[in-house]
Amino acid sequence: MHKHPALDSYPSAAPGAGWLRYASPAAFYPLAGRMIPWLALAAGLFAAAGLYVGLAVAPTDSQQGEVYRILFIHVGAAWMSMFLYLVMALYAALGLIFNTRLSFMMMRALAPTGALFTFLTLWTGALWGKPTWGAWWVWDARLTSELILLFLYLGFLALQAAADDDTQRADRGGAILVLAGVINVPIIYFSVRWWSTLHQGASINLTTAPSMARIMVAAMLLMVAAFWCYSAAAALARVRGIIAEREPAALRAGRAQRETP
């Protein structure tokens, strides 16, 4: 595997460097380890609360009946599929502009979770669409653009695997692919406004009051919080593995410095 230059002599961040010191993968590694258990616990608590409110407390929808409860998972998964791609694009831009290794690592760590939520969006959408539209799948503008998002995630993961023996080439090639595909995110979001589609419009937005009962909104937001915490915990766990694989010497040097009296 390709190693970054001067890895063995990579200096440890100064204690007074502030939050910028965590741009160093070796310094970020222990911070991520401390955050993961709390994020995982928060994800479990939010998910339990969201599922309870959504499945047991929220009333039956007057038009869709019980099937609408799929949306408590579907909407949060759809939001996360787009949000995680935008975060990947941000890390890709930072990595290309400033050549920060941790940015490329975070970009790679987020991709599997983003792909998971995109698949979950399409799957729950199909479960909701069959009783509502009478079909598992239609070539609706939003569904099609969400499917393209899944292909972008899978294409990024395939590129990383194909160039795994040269991390710099994999990082830069993946970053370019992510930035090229970011145009698909606003297409997904605005597709119901730009084209005539079967997909319903947004139930929650920042400019108007929600079109559903408050208890339903609460359940949906609890699930979004659960998905967000899970995504953060999963990405941090994954990036720790990437750091340990790519920069073992820097980790050993940082550990030895902390243990020196």
Side-chain angles (χ1 to χ4, degrees), residues 108 154-167 169-171 174:
R108 185 168 187 170
L154 296 179
F156 173 85
L157 293 172
L159 178 61
Q160 296 298 296
D164 197 47
D165 58 334
D166 187 341
T167 57
R169 184 162 64 96
D171 288 343

Side-chain angles (χ1 to χ4, degrees), residues 56-106:
V57 179
T60 303
D61 186 77
S62 58
Q63 296 181 340
Q64 300 182 40
E66 298 292 349
V67 72
Y68 92 98
R69 299 184 192 277
I70 297 173
L71 297 181
F72 293 130
I73 295 176
H74 174 76
V75 172
W79 288 359
M80 290 307 303
S81 70
M82 293 183 286
F83 175 73
L84 291 177
Y85 196 91
L86 291 177
V87 176
M88 283 179 61
L90 175 61
Y91 279 122
L94 291 174
L96 290 175
I97 295 171
F98 299 107
N99 197 29
T100 50
R101 302 190 308 281
L102 184 60
S103 297
F104 288 130
M105 294 178 188
M106 285 299 302

Side-chain angles (χ1 to χ4, degrees), residues 11-246:
S12 299
W19 284 100
L20 287 177
R21 69 181 184 272
Y22 293 116
S24 162
F28 186 75
Y29 185 90
L31 174 66
R34 293 192 295 270
M35 294 173 64
I36 290 171
W38 295 104
L39 288 167
L41 176 62
L45 293 176
F46 280 129
L51 290 173
Y52 173 75
V53 174
L55 299 180
V57 179
T60 303
D61 186 77
S62 58
Q63 296 181 340
Q64 300 182 40
E66 298 292 349
V67 72
Y68 92 98
R69 299 184 192 277
I70 297 173
L71 297 181
F72 293 130
I73 295 176
H74 174 76
V75 172
W79 288 359
M80 290 307 303
S81 70
M82 293 183 286
F83 175 73
L84 291 177
Y85 196 91
L86 291 177
V87 176
M88 283 179 61
L90 175 61
Y91 279 122
L94 291 174
L96 290 175
I97 295 171
F98 299 107
N99 197 29
T100 50
R101 302 190 308 281
L102 184 60
S103 297
F104 288 130
M105 294 178 188
M106 285 299 302
M107 174 188 68
R108 185 168 187 170
L110 286 164
T113 307
L116 171 64
F117 278 117
T118 307
F119 173 78
L120 186 61
T121 300
L122 295 170
W123 180 52
T124 54
L127 292 178
W128 176 80
K130 178 59 176 178
T132 305
W133 296 341
W136 294 104
W137 177 267
V138 294
W139 290 102
D140 176 86
R142 175 160 285 182
L143 294 182
T144 303
S145 52
E146 186 73 15
L147 179 62
I148 292 173
L149 183 63
L150 178 61
F151 290 155
L152 287 170
Y153 276 120
L154 296 179
F156 173 85
L157 293 172
L159 178 61
Q160 296 298 296
D164 197 47
D165 58 334
D166 187 341
T167 57
Q168 286 188 339
R169 184 162 64 96
D171 288 343
R172 294 189 174 277
I176 293 171
L177 174 62
V178 169
L179 291 174
V182 77
I183 187 62
N184 188 55
V185 175
I187 292 176
I188 296 172
Y189 185 80
F190 292 108
S191 58
V192 294
R193 301 184 186 180
W194 292 345
W195 295 284
S196 176
T197 69
L198 291 174
H199 201 286
Q200 69 183 58
S203 301
I204 302 175
N205 58 60
L206 299 177
T207 58
T208 60
S211 59
M212 59 175 59
R214 291 184 178 179
I215 192 65
M216 298 178 182
V217 174
M220 194 172 294
L221 293 180
L222 285 169
M223 292 304 300
V224 170
F227 289 162
W228 189 94
C229 291
Y230 166 78
S231 299
L236 291 177
R238 200 172 289 115
V239 81
R240 278 169 57 88
I242 296 173
I243 294 171
E245 179 183 3
R246 292 190 180 185

